[in-house]
């Protein structure tokens, strides 16, 4: 039972444009959501998070949107830079419980 | 900047052999996690410690995997005997609080079982 799904295994965008990465979850009890970025041969790096009491959280070029009714969250990167090329994982969970990760989306930003 | 330290970075072992991984979390982080990431999938939690106590090992294959954090600081994950399907990246992470705060990951140990 895949409770967190990232349906796009890959995404390619031009430098300077917007990157939108999507994530869907099935467990309505999830109340905390995170995005991690992973470069090859490195561990995931925390990027941004959002709790279920909010529908938007912004940090510089990164914005996460949460649509609880649709059980959907997205990560927007504006403007995209070549250094953003990495695998992006969304993760979800409830207070005090394990995080469940999606399969990841490979983002490629072309110069 | 504080980091989660893991060793070794890479390990090749023959099936049926024993293998061990070590993790030193960020100083002061009470919660330590071991994840396994198979290529093309997201990390999957194997075991979570709060100080020296296991709080979640429901996904740990206990017939061959064991984990300990004896003094509540560094931790060891062991596989005995290793199987071909254990080939994966083993990631250690730590966080200051238990629960939903961001966890900081180490660089991982890439295990190849031949």
């Amino acid at each position: 039972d895949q409770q967190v799904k990232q349906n796009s295994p890959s995404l390619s965008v031009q430098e300077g444009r917007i990157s939108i990465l999507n994530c869907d979850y099935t467990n309505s009890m999830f109340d905390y959501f995170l995005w991690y970025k992973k470069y090859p041969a490195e561990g995931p790096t925390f990027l941004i998070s959002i709790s279920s009491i909010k529908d938007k959280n912004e940090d510089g070029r990164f914005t996460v949107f949460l649509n609880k009714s649709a059980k959907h969250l997205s990560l927007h990167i504006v403007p995209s830079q070549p250094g953003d090329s990495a695998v992006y994982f969304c993760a979800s969970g409830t207070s005090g419980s394990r995080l469940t990760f999606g399969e990841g989306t490979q983002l490629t930003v072309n110069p | 900047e504080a980091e989660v330290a893991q060793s070794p970075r890479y390990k090749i072992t023959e099936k049926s052999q024993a293998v061990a991984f070590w993790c030193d979390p960020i100083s002061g982080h009470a919660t330590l996690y071991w994840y396994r990431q198979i290529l093309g999938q997201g990390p999957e939690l194997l075991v979570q410690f709060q100080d020296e106590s296991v709080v979640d090992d429901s996904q740990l294959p206990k017939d061959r995997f064991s984990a300990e954090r004896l003094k509540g600081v560094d931790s060891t994950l062991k596989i005995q005997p290793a199987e071909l399907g254990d080939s994966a990246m083993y990631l250690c992470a730590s966080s200051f609080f238990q629960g939903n705060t961001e966890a900081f990951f180490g660089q991982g140990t890439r295990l190849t079982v031949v």
Side-chain angles (χ1 to χ4, degrees):
Chain A
D1 176 27
Q2 188 66 26
Q3 295 190 73
V4 178
K5 282 196 70 65
Q6 296 176 252
N7 290 313
S8 298
S10 63
L11 174 68
S12 184
V13 300
Q14 285 299 119
E15 182 179 5
R17 305 295 292 269
I18 184 171
S19 295
I20 301 176
L21 297 104
N22 294 301
C23 179
D24 296 295
Y25 62 96
T26 59
N27 191 334
S28 58
M29 299 298 291
F30 285 162
D31 60 5
Y32 198 73
F33 308 88
L34 305 90
W35 284 94
Y36 282 85
K37 177 170 72 173
K38 186 180 184 301
Y39 293 118
E42 293 185 13
T45 303
F46 170 76
L47 233 136
I48 193 169
S49 64
I50 189 168
S51 71
S52 59
I53 62 173
K54 301 178 73 173
D55 55 19
K56 177 182 174 181
N57 188 25
E58 193 171 349
D59 184 2
R61 296 185 298 114
F62 303 90
T63 303
V64 56
F65 294 92
L66 176 62
N67 183 333
K68 291 185 288 294
S69 61
K71 296 190 183 67
H72 177 83
L73 67 156
S74 60
L75 175 68
H76 292 210
I77 307 173
V78 181
S80 302
Q81 300 173 353
D84 296 329
S85 297
V87 177
Y88 289 78
F89 293 100
C90 68
S92 305
T94 59
S95 298
S97 77
R98 61 173 53 222
L99 285 176
T100 300
F101 283 79
E103 309 94 323
T105 297
Q106 172 69 58
L107 173 66
T108 302
V109 180
N110 301 302
Chain B
E1 183 175 306
E3 292 182 345
V4 175
Q6 286 189 251
S7 67
R9 286 293 305 277
Y10 304 93
K11 179 71 177 178
I12 300 175
T13 190
E14 294 183 348
K15 63 180 181 179
S16 80
Q17 296 298 302
V19 63
F21 316 126
W22 177 80
C23 171
D24 191 12
I26 293 173
S27 177
H29 281 194
T31 308
L32 184 146
Y33 314 82
W34 282 102
Y35 285 87
R36 175 172 61 186
Q37 185 189 4
I38 296 170
L39 195 62
Q41 299 181 21
E44 176 190 26
L45 182 70
L46 292 174
V47 61
Q48 177 181 338
F49 289 91
Q50 181 67 23
D51 298 309
E52 68 276 7
S53 300
V54 173
V55 297
D56 187 348
D57 63 355
S58 57
Q59 300 300 310
L60 188 71
K62 300 181 188 62
D63 56 334
R64 297 186 299 109
F65 286 64
S66 64
E68 61 183 16
R69 192 185 184 198
L70 293 175
K71 296 183 180 179
V73 182
D74 59 336
S75 175
T76 303
L77 178 70
K78 297 179 181 177
I79 309 175
Q80 182 174 18
E83 296 180 353
L84 296 177
D86 296 330
S87 295
M89 174 77 84
Y90 290 83
L91 295 160
C92 178
S94 69
S95 63
F96 194 73
F97 293 114
Q98 183 179 351
N100 291 324
T101 61
E102 55 268 26
F104 295 86
F105 283 82
Q107 291 187 300
T109 297
R110 169 67 67 187
L111 173 68
T112 302
V113 181
V114 297

